Amino acid sequence: MAEQPPPKRFPDRDEVAAVRAEAEPLEPGGELGSTRRLAGRAMARRGMGKLVFLDLVDRSGRIQVICDVAVTGEIDIHLGDVIGVAGRPAKSRRGEPSVLAESVEILARNTQPLPDTFHGLTDVELRYRRRYLDLLMNEESRETFITRAKVVTAIRRALDEWGFVEVETPILQPRYGGAFARPFTTHHNELDADLYLRIATELYLKRLIVGGLERVYEIGKDFRNEGVSFKHNPEFTMLEWYEAYADYGDTMARIEQLLERVALEVLGTTAVTFRGHEIDLAGPWERVRFVEALERHELWTRDADELRAQLTERGVDTDADKDWTQLVDHAFSHYVEPALIQPTIVHDYPVELSPFARPTDDDPSLTERFEYFAGGMELGNAFTEINEAAMQQARFDQQSEQVEGERGDADYVEALSYGMPPTGGLGLGIDRFVMLLAGKESIRDVVLFPALRNM
């Protein structure tokens, strides 16, 4: 007789974790009289006479299912099958929280051999390419991505409470801007126009500040056609916010408060372990000026030839650095950034590196920009935004003379000409922040489907 097709639904399901919690207080051999309905994967099977023991796993956890075949009938379950179980919470004689099955039904058959269920899926490349298997076999992976979801939810909750409005801006843009990066290019057939996948949401969000929304944020994908590393993926998730009537000092205080709050909400602590370091996200964080950070390494100079010579003398390859801007950025990323283990705000960046930041009051060659770091990597970037059209156009003109400088955006300059309030803006790399909280050393471990080379 042909096997009956599986049912199309399994309603009124209870989570494994909730049923375990009911069974936990019972004495060994005890049981409750009420029936619960569970569904998930059968990830282990053991036989003992007329009893069959299954390990049932759902998103919330694992529980033992005790099947008396005199009650349930023969158990024709393969490892990895999706099953539905009705039964009573109980505790086995050995003290294991369990379910005494009254019925077991197959909801979906697994027709493939599973990886070693004891060791999980350990092939790193296979874990990234077949994330469904990674999630199926590795509880730690499931927890990581649940943590990621909680981080995003907690960020939204905080910003919403602070009066920010969540918005959506275009992913396909007629011109790209808001960062130093190479874009992905595509073509719109109907419009007969080349478009770019956005590299940042910045310029559109600031148009909304001009329009009077005052506090806006977006959590979304950005795309950069660049290299892949432990902290870089071609598509990545960013939070950007912009707050009218605030400057970079206000923004420093906000980001300290936000990351501390999110860590406490998601982990219950501000202390995390990342790349072998114990890191505490509780504020206040250390603050250091950009110039001082390089001076500590005797690498601060505005002379490109001198800086190149100093780096070359120390064995740093500068062949790819075409001008002073790239050299000083290289010096910072090579010597300063890796040593910023505890949360640190580096502020007052040179104007050449900061096309959208207002100058500092006491030195027009520096800007009210900061980046913040932890675990030896940058988490995000922030400015007191330029809000004068003429100044912004002058910065675009200055950038056009630099290698890979920020391209101009006439429409954005026109928007500023209508008047933008004093504004503080910030970007936070969600992927890197999750890496930090989850203790993951590669961005591929916190992105469900990372970019990979073809096999």
Side-chain angles (χ1 to χ4, degrees):
M1 180 181 295
E3 187 174 284
Q4 292 295 313
K8 296 180 179 178
R9 62 195 296 265
F10 190 82
D12 305 320
R13 182 173 67 93
D14 299 292
E15 285 199 330
V16 162
V19 177
R20 280 191 67 95
E22 287 186 288
E24 196 69 58
L26 297 174
E27 294 294 327
E31 63 182 80
L32 298 178
S34 53
T35 298
R36 298 289 179 261
R37 290 169 58 81
L38 300 173
R41 296 271 183 179
M43 297 303 290
R45 174 176 175 152
R46 303 171 296 282
M48 186 181 297
K50 293 294 184 179
L51 295 179
V52 175
F53 298 85
L54 303 174
D55 279 3
L56 178 68
V57 177
D58 73 2
R59 186 182 70 183
S60 70
R62 179 185 296 257
I63 196 167
Q64 176 176 261
V65 179
I66 303 174
C67 307
D68 183 341
V69 297
V71 176
T72 63
E74 292 299 321
I75 300 298
D76 181 23
I77 301 295
H78 306 158
L79 287 185
D81 283 352
V82 180
I83 62 174
V85 175
R88 303 181 306 281
K91 207 168 213 184
S92 72
R93 292 177 180 175
R94 295 184 177 183
E96 176 68 19
S98 306
V99 172
L100 295 178
E102 298 166 356
S103 65
V104 179
E105 56 185 318
I106 297 169
L107 304 179
R109 278 290 193 194
N110 169 43
T111 61
Q112 298 285 348
L114 292 178
D116 185 328
T117 55
F118 181 77
H119 294 99
L121 185 64
T122 56
D123 184 311
V124 173
E125 187 75 10
L126 187 60
R127 287 175 53 209
Y128 299 148
R129 291 189 184 277
R130 299 184 183 179
R131 183 66 84 185
Y132 52 90
L133 279 182
D134 178 35
L135 295 170
L136 180 61
M137 302 305 300
N138 294 326
E139 183 178 354
E140 183 179 347
S141 290
R142 294 197 297 274
E143 286 299 320
T144 294
F145 289 104
I146 290 171
T147 294
R148 182 188 176 107
K150 290 178 179 178
V151 166
V152 173
T153 298
I155 288 171
R156 280 197 168 99
R157 182 180 297 114
L159 291 173
D160 291 346
E161 287 179 8
W162 293 341
F164 285 79
V165 176
E166 184 174 11
V167 297
E168 295 174 297
T169 60
I171 291 175
L172 288 173
Q173 301 181 349
R175 61 181 61 84
Y176 63 94
F180 297 112
R182 291 191 299 273
F184 289 93
T185 306
T186 188
H187 186 78
H188 193 293
N189 293 332
E190 181 68 22
L191 298 178
D192 190 23
D194 288 335
L195 296 172
Y196 305 96
L197 295 183
R198 69 185 180 198
I199 61 174
T201 56
E202 176 173 349
L203 300 187
Y204 281 91
L205 290 174
K206 287 192 287 192
R207 286 172 169 92
L208 301 180
I209 297 293
V210 173
L213 293 187
E214 296 187 352
R215 292 182 182 179
V216 294
Y217 77 93
E218 182 170 9
I219 299 175
K221 291 286 190 182
D222 290 339
F223 308 85
R224 298 181 184 178
N225 195 358
E226 299 178 337
V228 175
S229 75
F230 81 91
K231 58 182 180 178
H232 294 99
N233 194 59
E235 62 175 286
F236 55 98
T237 304
M238 286 288 293
L239 159 69
E240 288 197 42
W241 84 56
Y242 294 86
E243 180 178 8
Y245 311 110
D247 69 0
Y248 77 150
D250 302 307
T251 308
M252 289 180 193
R254 273 213 192 277
I255 192 61
E256 285 178 332
Q257 184 180 354
L258 178 69
L259 297 197
E260 178 177 346
R261 169 177 168 160
V262 171
L264 283 171
E265 185 172 328
V266 173
L267 303 179
T269 178
T270 59
V272 298
T273 302
F274 179 72
R275 299 178 77 86
H277 299 287
E278 299 298 320
I279 298 169
D280 194 341
L281 292 169
W285 302 342
E286 181 182 356
R287 301 186 184 188
V288 59
R289 295 179 185 273
F290 181 91
V291 172
E292 293 172 358
L294 281 173
E295 284 177 340
R296 293 175 183 178
H297 296 273
E298 299 181 347
L299 283 172
W300 174 247
T301 173
R302 282 194 171 275
D303 185 291
D305 292 336
E306 181 182 1
L307 182 54
R308 188 183 301 276
Q310 291 173 339
L311 290 171
T312 301
E313 183 180 342
R314 300 185 190 197
V316 178
D317 183 359
T318 63
D319 289 346
D321 301 318
K322 306 305 182 186
D323 56 16
W324 178 83
T325 303
Q326 293 185 346
L327 284 164
V328 75
D329 185 60
H330 192 173
F332 183 89
S333 62
H334 189 88
Y335 284 100
V336 178
E337 181 173 343
L340 301 177
I341 304 302
Q342 295 303 320
T344 304
I345 289 172
V346 179
H347 59 98
D348 295 5
Y349 278 59
V351 67
E352 294 88 345
L353 293 173
S354 313
F356 299 108
R358 289 180 63 161
T360 61
D361 292 335
D362 55 354
D363 187 345
S365 72
L366 302 177
T367 62
E368 293 194 355
R369 172 191 175 190
F370 73 87
E371 292 182 307
Y372 50 106
F373 302 82
M377 65 180 177
E378 177 200 346
L379 296 179
N381 189 23
F383 311 134
T384 300
E385 305 293 338
I386 292 175
N387 63 334
E388 298 175 16
M391 180 183 292
Q392 184 61 74
Q393 184 59 58
R395 288 289 182 83
F396 280 140
D397 293 342
Q398 179 190 54
Q399 287 285 311
S400 67
E401 299 174 1
Q402 297 176 197
V403 178
E404 297 183 1
E406 181 78 33
R407 304 296 81 132
D409 187 331
D411 180 76
Y412 175 66
V413 173
E414 182 179 350
L416 290 183
S417 71
Y418 287 91
M420 184 172 83
T423 297
L426 176 137
L428 166 66
I430 298 294
D431 309 298
R432 294 186 186 181
F433 184 43
V434 175
M435 286 171 61
L436 196 67
L437 293 192
K440 298 298 181 181
E441 297 191 9
S442 171
I443 195 171
R444 294 181 179 187
D445 289 322
V446 299
V447 174
L448 278 167
F449 302 102
L452 300 168
R453 293 186 186 277
N454 292 331
M455 295 185 68

